[in-house]
Amino acid sequence: MEIVISTSALKWFQDEVELKKGDMVKFFPKVYGNSPVQEGFSLGFTVDNYPIDIIVKVEAEGLLFYIEERDLWFFNGHNLHVDYNEKTEEVEYSYTKATK
């Protein structure tokens, strides 16, 4: 499994969330909503510089984006792609089946 952060999503995190070099962003399942990989759950994020058990991570411009082992079930064998939607002015998530 991997996390892919687009350049436009990275810029959104830097500008809107005001992340600075060294900050960490955790992606995690939320108990409401829907996603293409889990019915009844959606994906959220939080700035969390105290990870417990990182299982997947990607670093971009000094920022670390990660998923903890306990949340891996949510992705159901899919990679996470994070992009920025100009119309909604929000980040959006898409998922592709992991090949590994």
Side-chain angles (χ1 to χ4, degrees), residues 14 22 27 39 55 85 99:
Q14 291 168 323
F27 294 105
E39 187 174 329
I55 188 120
N85 183 320
T99 56

Side-chain angles (χ1 to χ4, degrees), residues 38-94:
Q38 293 292 339
E39 187 174 329
F41 292 87
S42 61
L43 190 64
F45 73 86
T46 187
V47 177
D48 186 348
N49 292 340
Y50 303 98
I52 297 170
D53 56 355
I54 295 175
I55 188 120
V56 181
K57 64 182 177 179
V58 65
E59 188 172 341
E61 294 189 27
L63 302 174
L64 184 72
F65 298 87
Y66 70 93
I67 297 165
E68 291 188 340
E69 185 173 13
R70 67 180 174 206
D71 296 327
L72 191 60
W73 65 268
F74 171 84
F75 298 93
N76 194 24
H78 290 78
N79 295 321
L80 171 62
H81 297 264
V82 184
D83 204 357
Y84 173 72
N85 183 320
E86 289 183 18
K87 290 181 183 178
T88 63
E89 298 182 347
E90 295 288 337
V91 289
E92 63 183 12
Y93 309 113
S94 60

Side-chain angles (χ1 to χ4, degrees), residues 5-59:
I5 308 286
S6 73
T7 303
S8 57
L10 180 60
K11 183 171 176 9
W12 183 88
F13 277 104
Q14 291 168 323
D15 295 346
E16 297 300 320
V17 185
E18 299 180 352
L19 297 180
K20 58 191 177 308
K21 190 174 183 177
D23 281 340
M24 301 177 168
V25 176
K26 175 172 73 172
F27 294 105
F28 65 94
K30 298 190 300 185
V31 182
Y32 58 88
N34 281 307
S35 74
V37 291
Q38 293 292 339
E39 187 174 329
F41 292 87
S42 61
L43 190 64
F45 73 86
T46 187
V47 177
D48 186 348
N49 292 340
Y50 303 98
I52 297 170
D53 56 355
I54 295 175
I55 188 120
V56 181
K57 64 182 177 179
V58 65
E59 188 172 341

